[in-house]
Amino acid sequence: MKKIFMKWAFFMLCMAVTMPAMAQFNVKALKGAAKAVKAVTLTDAQMAEYVKEYIDWMDTHNQVCADDNEYTIRLKKLTEGLTDVEGIPLNFKVYYVIDVNAFACADGSVRIFSSLMDIMTDDELLGVIGHEVGHVAHKDSKNGFRTALLTSALKDGISSQGGTAAKLSDSQLGDLGEALVNSTYSQKQERSADDYGYEFLKSHGKNPWAMALSFQKLKKLQEEAGAQKSSKLNQLFSTHPDLDVRIQRMEERATSEGIEKPAVAE
């Protein structure tokens, strides 16, 4: 079944001329009792294989905008110069889906949802990207993926030959998607990702005010929707720490450094 995916974790071809109707973001949801996790040791090479398999599955089961599509062209221009983070190559794609979200994987794959691009300015989107890149840089994405893998897709253990990771079944990929949807980052991880994103954008010639602007937009959306703490919209960014605190931290930092705030479209 199809399920709306509202967690940063995570991200069919989109025709450039005749645009088909948007679909919901596709994470295969499966039912079944969870089993005890077995002790499993995953090498970095195996982890890399699993991350690649997962992002390939996501790109196949969600509508990816073509290179000449307006969304892709906009994102490519926006991310010009953002080629890698801590030696990890970055690659960007747009999912043409109705859900408002974005996510990054441990291999540097960053997926932005078209509906998020519809409601955010370029600066606000850069804030989203900066934050996600921060999680990749600090290996939060990698560690979160490893945990989800061991507690969901590989809950029955792993089989391998010659150190090669066992190929995941469709069911295991579905369980993995569910676990990633429900995963969270700690307050410390979120704060560190914000700080890294700020410096990352600044060092690449982007205005780091983008971090505060992205949080401000999310807060505005929450207020307009009357969103509560448990709202799915609130899960676009973690609730730890509170958005007001995150906005204040990023604003004070940019102001203290004398960085000019970009003009905000009304």
Side-chain angles (χ1 to χ4, degrees):
M1 70 183 249
K2 292 184 179 180
K3 179 177 178 133
I4 295 178
F5 177 40
M6 296 298 296
K7 187 74 188 163
W8 281 125
F10 313 112
F11 294 90
M12 316 178 336
L13 189 62
C14 183
M15 302 302 293
V17 180
T18 305
M19 186 70 72
M22 288 189 193
Q24 287 183 333
F25 181 59
N26 188 19
V27 171
K28 190 172 183 180
L30 301 173
K31 296 180 179 180
K35 298 181 181 179
V37 181
K38 294 185 178 180
V40 177
T41 299
L42 290 174
T43 66
D44 284 345
Q46 288 175 324
M47 272 289 295
E49 287 183 55
Y50 282 127
V51 171
K52 183 180 186 304
E53 184 176 357
Y54 181 72
I55 197 65
D56 286 348
W57 189 91
M58 297 293 280
D59 286 350
T60 298
H61 290 81
N62 290 283
Q63 197 170 9
V64 178
C65 290
D67 290 341
D68 58 353
N69 179 265
E70 60 181 342
Y71 286 110
T72 303
I73 293 172
R74 179 187 172 194
L75 184 61
K76 184 177 181 180
K77 182 178 180 180
L78 185 64
T79 58
E80 186 176 0
L82 307 183
T83 57
D84 70 278
V85 55
E86 302 297 327
I88 302 172
L90 295 172
N91 71 90
F92 300 88
K93 291 183 181 181
V94 181
Y95 283 173
Y96 190 65
V97 291
I98 63 175
D99 308 286
V100 178
N101 207 355
F103 70 90
C105 274
D107 67 340
S109 296
V110 182
R111 301 297 180 258
I112 309 295
F113 294 14
S114 59
S115 292
L116 180 66
M117 297 181 70
D118 288 337
I119 63 174
M120 282 193 164
T121 66
D122 285 353
D123 287 307
E124 291 163 350
L125 284 171
L126 276 174
V128 170
I129 292 169
H131 178 84
E132 285 303 304
V133 165
H135 281 308
V136 175
H138 293 150
K139 295 184 169 51
D140 298 332
S141 300
K142 180 179 179 179
N143 293 334
F145 188 94
R146 181 189 298 272
T147 298
L149 198 61
L150 296 180
T151 58
S152 60
L154 303 183
K155 62 191 176 187
D156 295 321
I158 181 175
S159 59
S160 63
Q161 282 190 331
T164 301
K167 185 175 178 59
L168 298 180
S169 67
D170 231 22
S171 294
Q172 287 175 320
L173 284 165
D175 283 343
L176 176 58
E178 286 293 282
L180 289 171
V181 167
N182 295 320
S183 65
T184 58
Y185 292 125
S186 70
Q187 179 175 336
K188 181 179 179 180
Q189 287 174 316
E190 293 292 356
R191 183 181 291 109
S192 295
D194 290 348
D195 290 336
Y196 189 96
Y198 181 100
E199 288 298 332
F200 178 79
L201 295 178
K202 182 181 175 182
S203 66
H204 286 77
K206 312 292 184 181
N207 193 324
W209 263 100
M211 300 299 297
L213 295 177
S214 63
F215 298 147
Q216 289 171 356
K217 173 55 70 69
L218 178 59
K219 182 180 178 182
K220 180 180 178 181
L221 292 172
Q222 290 175 319
E223 291 173 345
E224 290 176 348
Q228 302 298 317
K229 288 279 186 178
S230 59
S231 167
K232 285 187 176 182
L233 178 61
N234 205 35
Q235 294 176 28
L236 177 58
F237 290 100
S238 170
T239 56
H240 307 289
D242 185 86
L243 276 176
D244 287 328
V245 175
R246 299 172 83 171
I247 292 170
Q248 183 178 358
R249 288 183 71 245
M250 295 295 101
E251 284 184 340
E252 289 180 347
R253 186 167 181 177
T255 300
S256 68
E257 294 178 6
I259 299 173
E260 184 177 353
K261 181 179 179 180
V264 179
E266 297 295 334

